[in-house]
Amino acid sequence: MHLLGIDIGTSSIKASVVDASSGSILASAQYPDNESAIIAPQAGWAEQDPSAWWSDAQQAILRLQHSLNLEEVSAIGIAYQMHGLVVVDKDQQVLRNSIIWCDSRAVALGDAAFDALGHEHSLQHLLNSPGNFTASKLAWVKNNEPELYAKIYKVMLPGDFIAMKLTGNISTSIQALSEGVFWDFQKDELSKELMEYYALSSDLIPEIKPLFSEHGQLKADVAALLGLKAGIPVAYKSGDQPNNALSLNVLQPGEVAATAGTSGVIYGISDALTYDQQSRVNTFAHVTYTPENKHTGVLLCINGTGSMYRWAKHNFAAELSYGELNALAAQAPIGSRGLLSLPFGNGAERMLNNTYTGARLQGIDLNVHTKADIFRAVQEGIAFAFRYGLDIMRENGMQPKVIRAGRANLFLSDLFAQTFVDVTGIPVELYDNDGSVGAALGAGIGSGIFGDPSEAFINQKQIKYLEPINSAAYEPIYGNWKQLLTQALANP
């Protein structure tokens, strides 16, 4: 029995087919080959066209046909970039580009809502400041594009949109609404106070279904186009970070996952409705959350990790592959001969109290530094940003003993993986999986092919275990980096 997982990423769409009985990956494909663009109409804004996601998802699935018969797929799961806003009319036509996760335009609106609703009320009920999350983005559309707002039939997260294109049905989940900061965790319902403050109609919210459940059946015309079997269920939809945790079997309180793609994330599971007083790290409903079993995910997000590395590649060594870039970076010494990097140039950073400092390379010596130093400094700066955020999580009671990560994106770099471990002081277990595989396994859980989540991971094997080696060497360098960040925050 085969399961199809689709991962709607910021830079590309990936699709994988997994054999449910063995857990093995039968085929994977990605589209486009080059990284998708982020549309930035103004500084601090970030948009993408949902229709392009759908087109790219189709192309990724069609590429799988070269490897196997897709008619053997029994269920579909979707993972997607979190916090994006998609709006459609009654004919299910997209009304505007999606305002995506790293867009900063709604920060001031969210801050005003935080003050008006009361900080304690917001944190206790929403577990977050409204910030620049999906609800605040919708309020921005209402305030700035009233004619368009009047045409909105339903509001969706990116995964809800792809499920709609596959099935014709529009639904959402508690988990999706929580990541949009629409959900009242104390009352386990849509937040009346937030909706009333922003003057948003609850009619815009789709039908709420359990995350692991049937969200619709594959339409016959879409099935014929993609070589799939009509009527199979879309049985799972999750934001990329909870889904990454699922893919790593991070389901129980105290377990922690990490990823370092376009953004960098540490995501820890709690069995309490915890929150950070400054909303620098955020708490959302985990994939296993139910009103009876309140598992939450405490999420640290750094917007500018892989995006910083991509920027450096394109501007300093576009001719090199990422593998060659990683090998080059490894030639530089620890500390990059005094060169420091702040990877914060991709929108307002929540862990920095929604401050936008821009990215920085500090201390360039024209007689000393080479490309190797630049690329090592960028990887070290990203690891330092993880450490800074992890210390915030520790302040809030998260004390990870080990972190699990997929061997993907920046964790493909042996240098980065070891630097991450050395700088944070926490061992890392690496696994051979990714978001599309997690989505496929989620589909197996949601469709009942697996009796419970644990069955999906019986065959999962660790491929590498990393322990700290050079933590003492990095500590003074991290102190210098932290001083640079303090200066940047004082003069953003």
Side-chain angles (χ1 to χ4, degrees):
M1 200 169 292
H2 297 169
L3 304 166
L4 171 62
I6 307 167
D7 185 9
I8 311 301
T10 308
S11 57
S12 66
I13 311 299
K14 187 170 184 182
S16 293
V17 174
V18 174
D19 179 76
S21 59
S22 68
S24 60
I25 304 167
L26 302 176
S28 291
Q30 186 169 305
Y31 195 89
D33 295 321
N34 298 316
E35 296 169 353
S36 300
I38 293 176
I39 303 162
Q42 295 185 32
W45 291 20
E47 300 181 353
Q48 288 186 321
D49 178 3
S51 299
W53 298 337
W54 173 231
S55 175
D56 292 349
Q58 292 176 74
Q59 292 302 316
I61 294 168
L62 288 170
R63 286 184 171 185
L64 295 173
Q65 292 182 339
H66 301 303
S67 305
L68 71 166
N69 179 9
L70 294 182
E71 288 193 353
E72 296 182 32
V73 169
S74 300
I76 301 171
I78 300 168
Y80 59 88
Q81 50 173 289
M82 297 173 72
H83 316 306
L85 172 70
V86 182
V87 292
V88 298
D89 63 17
K90 289 185 177 180
D91 297 321
Q92 298 189 356
Q93 297 301 304
V94 175
L95 291 170
R96 71 172 330 279
N97 285 338
S98 172
I99 303 175
I100 65 170
W101 56 277
C102 54
D103 188 283
S104 303
R105 76 187 71 183
V107 168
L109 277 175
D111 289 345
F114 196 30
D115 290 338
L117 295 173
H119 290 203
E120 282 305 311
H121 174 88
S122 294
L123 294 172
Q124 289 179 10
H125 288 259
L126 305 173
L127 306 186
N128 300 284
S129 159
N132 61 328
F133 293 110
T134 314
S136 300
K137 292 169 182 170
L138 179 60
W140 184 94
V141 172
K142 178 179 177 293
N143 293 350
N144 292 274
E145 299 172 348
E147 292 183 5
L148 185 148
Y149 179 83
K151 298 176 184 177
I152 298 175
Y153 172 58
K154 293 297 178 187
V155 171
M156 290 177 281
L157 278 294
D160 299 330
F161 169 75
I162 296 299
M164 179 197 79
K165 298 298 290 185
L166 289 166
T167 68
N169 292 345
I170 302 178
S171 68
T172 192
S173 64
I174 289 174
Q175 286 83 350
L177 292 173
S178 81
E179 73 177 73
V181 190
F182 288 101
W183 195 251
D184 187 322
F185 282 87
Q186 298 296 336
K187 299 177 181 177
D188 261 317
E189 62 182 27
L190 196 66
S191 172
K192 292 184 175 66
E193 291 82 1
L194 182 74
M195 297 295 282
E196 289 175 0
Y197 171 78
Y198 278 146
L200 303 173
S201 171
S202 60
D203 292 339
L204 300 178
I205 304 300
E207 177 186 5
I208 302 170
K209 291 190 172 184
L211 183 115
F212 295 109
S213 70
E214 185 178 299
H215 294 271
Q217 297 180 352
L218 187 64
K219 295 190 295 182
D221 60 335
V222 176
L225 176 67
L226 300 178
L228 293 160
K229 187 166 55 181
I232 61 175
V234 172
Y236 170 82
K237 297 183 297 182
S238 172
D240 52 9
Q241 300 311 323
N243 175 73
N244 179 62
L246 172 77
S247 75
L248 295 164
N249 195 20
V250 171
L251 300 173
Q252 299 303 318
E255 295 177 336
V256 179
T259 184
T262 303
S263 63
V265 169
I266 296 178
Y267 184 92
I269 312 306
S270 174
D271 56 3
L273 299 181
T274 61
Y275 52 83
D276 177 54
Q277 286 288 344
Q278 299 178 53
S279 210
R280 296 166 298 174
V281 297
N282 304 104
T283 305
F284 307 111
H286 190 38
V287 295
T288 51
Y289 179 95
T290 65
E292 300 76 33
N293 186 29
K294 294 183 185 291
H295 281 186
T296 57
V298 181
L299 185 151
L300 159 75
C301 181
I302 309 159
N303 292 354
T305 52
S307 55
M308 175 71 171
Y309 203 45
R310 177 185 62 194
W311 174 87
K313 176 186 185 302
H314 286 179
N315 285 282
F316 296 114
E319 74 282 2
L320 299 182
S321 69
Y322 280 109
E324 291 169 329
L325 215 62
N326 295 335
L328 180 62
Q331 295 175 17
I334 288 176
S336 307
R337 289 188 269 252
L339 188 60
L340 295 171
S341 165
L342 295 183
F344 301 127
N346 193 27
E349 295 284 355
R350 292 198 294 277
M351 77 171 185
L352 304 180
N353 298 107
N354 277 326
T355 301
Y356 180 77
T357 65
R360 305 191 183 193
L361 280 171
Q362 181 80 12
I364 298 173
D365 187 320
L366 301 179
N367 299 309
V368 170
H369 291 121
T370 66
K371 287 181 181 179
D373 297 303
I374 290 172
F375 293 117
R376 179 160 193 145
V378 170
Q379 291 201 21
E380 289 178 339
I382 293 166
F384 292 147
F386 271 108
R387 160 70 183 276
Y388 185 87
L390 184 61
D391 286 347
I392 295 172
M393 298 181 81
R394 286 167 169 148
E395 289 174 22
N396 286 274
M398 189 69 63
Q399 301 291 338
K401 301 283 192 299
V402 67
I403 293 175
R404 296 178 193 164
R407 189 162 173 76
N409 301 310
L410 275 166
F411 279 105
L412 288 168
S413 166
D414 291 336
L415 171 65
F416 173 78
Q418 187 61 54
T419 302
F420 177 95
V421 171
D422 289 338
V423 169
T424 62
I426 300 173
V428 164
E429 298 173 355
L430 289 175
Y431 295 86
D432 187 14
N433 59 358
D434 61 22
S436 61
V437 173
L441 296 175
I445 298 167
S447 62
I449 292 171
F450 301 122
D452 63 67
S454 64
E455 288 185 17
F457 303 98
I458 291 173
N459 297 301
Q460 188 178 64
K461 292 187 174 92
Q462 180 189 131
I463 59 172
K464 199 166 188 179
Y465 181 81
L466 298 170
E467 292 184 290
I469 298 172
N470 296 306
S471 294
Y474 273 112
E475 201 61 27
I477 304 168
Y478 174 65
N480 294 337
W481 181 91
K482 198 171 176 182
Q483 184 176 9
L484 174 62
L485 175 58
T486 300
Q487 294 168 0
L489 291 171
N491 299 284

